[in-house]
Amino acid sequence: MSQDDPDFAALTGSRICHDLASPVGAALTGLEFLSGASGGANPDEMALLRDSLTGARATLEMLRLAFGHAGTGAALDAATLGTTVRGHLATRPRLRLDWALDGPLGRAAAQHVALAILCVVHALPRGGTLTVTHLAAGSFGITATGEGDIAAESALWDGLAGRATLPTPDPRRVEFHLLAARIARGDARIDVTRAAQSLMIVLFQPALD
């Protein structure tokens, strides 16, 4: 399925709505509760409301970066991207983020890293550690390490690596198809390595990025 296919756009839109529904819904529930409470809001209630809205903003920024048009604007600071990723993952208490990227990232590189992170998170449904680091000039490593065996669906990872055809896209896994499309047109190269308790994506960016 091409990225220009209307059905693909619909899948991407469905994914964005799904990921935003929970934090926005929690914030609305909090507001409704506060509007009916006597004596005003207490600090704990305000903190929960603030966390819900902060999470929604971080998720929206993460999805905008991963699914939007990368463009050729100013480079993105890696620390800023790390803050966005950390905010997006904040609702996953069993998932730890080890962020070791620094310095400026080209817009395309930042988008590829964001997409790869969304892909790798699928391998850690029961929690674990997500490590993001520079490996060498122009290459990045995104590694999932589980507490036990990871949940790595062979068809997805072999498809992403170009060793097989990706399964039919659905909203929950649309990032695999988006990243594979970028790789297919030469925007980056990829290597995927799997083991029982870990999975690693290595992204090789072209020198011009």
Side-chain angles (χ1 to χ4, degrees), residues 2-205:
S2 167
Q3 289 186 77
D4 297 326
D5 191 308
D7 290 338
F8 196 89
L11 290 171
T12 304
S14 295
R15 170 59 183 277
I16 294 170
C17 293
H18 174 273
D19 282 15
L20 287 175
S22 180
V24 171
L28 288 173
T29 299
L31 286 172
E32 290 173 359
F33 178 81
L34 293 177
S35 66
S38 60
N42 65 49
D44 289 341
E45 292 166 347
M46 290 303 298
L48 289 172
L49 180 58
R50 183 170 55 252
D51 288 347
S52 294
L53 292 172
T54 299
R57 183 177 64 183
T59 292
L60 182 60
E61 178 61 22
M62 181 71 174
L63 299 183
R64 184 197 66 80
L65 178 62
F67 297 163
H69 177 61
T72 57
L76 181 68
D77 185 75
T80 301
L81 176 58
T83 298
T84 298
V85 174
R86 198 174 301 279
H88 174 63
L89 299 178
T91 57
R92 302 168 182 258
R94 295 181 297 173
L95 186 59
R96 298 179 298 277
L97 177 64
D98 181 4
W99 187 266
L101 291 187
D102 56 18
L105 293 177
R107 288 284 171 172
Q111 182 174 51
H112 297 158
V113 169
L115 283 168
I117 288 169
L118 291 177
C119 291
V120 167
V121 165
H122 283 275
L124 298 173
R126 293 175 294 277
T129 301
L130 180 66
T131 304
V132 185
T133 186
H134 286 288
L135 297 178
S139 65
F140 309 93
I142 299 94
T143 305
T145 305
E147 299 294 344
D149 287 354
I150 60 171
E153 299 180 47
S154 298
L156 289 172
W157 302 108
D158 289 343
L160 186 60
R163 297 188 289 264
T165 300
L166 277 168
T168 301
D170 67 69
R172 295 170 301 164
R173 298 177 176 85
V174 71
E175 53 266 38
F176 286 88
H177 292 266
L178 287 168
L179 183 55
R182 299 297 300 268
I183 292 163
R185 73 186 194 190
D187 290 356
R189 292 186 297 112
I190 193 170
D191 182 58
V192 180
T193 304
R194 288 185 290 138
Q197 296 184 350
S198 66
L199 182 144
M200 183 178 189
I201 290 179
V202 178
L203 288 170
F204 303 91
Q205 292 295 133

